[in-house]
Amino acid sequence: MEIGQKLKNARINSGLTQESVAEKINVSRQTISNWETEKNFPDIISVIKLSDVYSISLDDLLKGDQKMIDHLEESTNVVNSNKKLFIAVIVNIMLIVLLITLSIFISNNQFFLVGVFCLMIISTSALMYQIIQKI
């Protein structure tokens, strides 16, 4: 059985509404609905809270749903996440160095310099997005 259906069944068996569950674990009712319809998945802390609210074991909630297990593995894999961020930083630094070097050699073309500046802003913005997303 999929995690959404398990969550819905556990909530109904506990005699709770989506609103009351949402209040107990400090999320919105829409979040509970999205989890039950599998539009998105709860994080591991929320799964633990749901397990407590529904008085159901984590094994019963999680086992048998590969999509949920994959989601939790991806969201809690700090090493892989840090590796991707490190690669993004290195690529951004290399791109900036390359663009600055090119702008030195082709300094008489103003359109090229504007393009180089725009690429630097875009690459730095993408990196900042990755960092903010990680936080």
Side-chain angles (χ1 to χ4, degrees):
M1 185 184 306
E2 302 295 320
I3 186 73
Q5 191 61 46
K6 287 180 183 179
L7 291 173
K8 185 174 183 176
N9 290 345
R11 178 179 56 78
I12 291 169
N13 291 339
S14 298
L16 299 170
T17 64
Q18 288 180 345
E19 185 70 35
S20 62
V21 172
E23 288 175 13
K24 289 177 186 271
I25 66 169
N26 298 318
V27 297
S28 70
R29 186 213 53 83
Q30 186 63 40
T31 299
I32 300 297
S33 175
N34 287 341
W35 292 343
E36 290 182 1
T37 58
E38 296 185 23
K39 289 182 181 174
N40 55 40
F41 296 105
D43 61 12
I44 189 64
I45 301 301
S46 297
V47 172
I48 292 169
K49 288 178 182 179
L50 289 168
S51 170
D52 290 340
V53 168
Y54 297 148
S55 299
I56 188 171
S57 73
L58 288 172
D59 277 353
D60 290 340
L61 271 179
L62 297 176
K63 282 191 176 173
D65 188 350
Q66 193 58 45
K67 285 193 294 187
M68 181 62 187
I69 292 170
D70 291 344
H71 166 74
L72 290 174
E73 185 176 303
E74 182 179 322
S75 66
T76 57
N77 191 341
V78 176
V79 173
N80 193 27
S81 178
N82 286 342
K83 185 187 292 185
K84 287 179 184 176
L85 188 59
F86 180 73
I87 289 171
V89 168
I90 296 299
V91 167
N92 193 55
I93 291 170
M94 289 172 46
L95 181 61
I96 289 173
V97 169
L98 175 68
L99 293 175
I100 289 173
T101 304
L102 284 175
S103 68
I104 290 171
F105 291 115
I106 310 174
S107 60
N108 57 351
N109 188 339
Q110 290 180 340
F111 292 114
F112 178 77
L113 292 176
V114 169
V116 166
F117 181 71
C118 289
L119 279 173
M120 289 170 57
I121 288 174
I122 290 169
S123 68
T124 304
S125 297
L127 178 62
M128 295 308 285
Y129 174 77
Q130 290 288 330
I131 292 170
I132 290 170
Q133 191 177 24
K134 182 166 174 51
I135 294 172

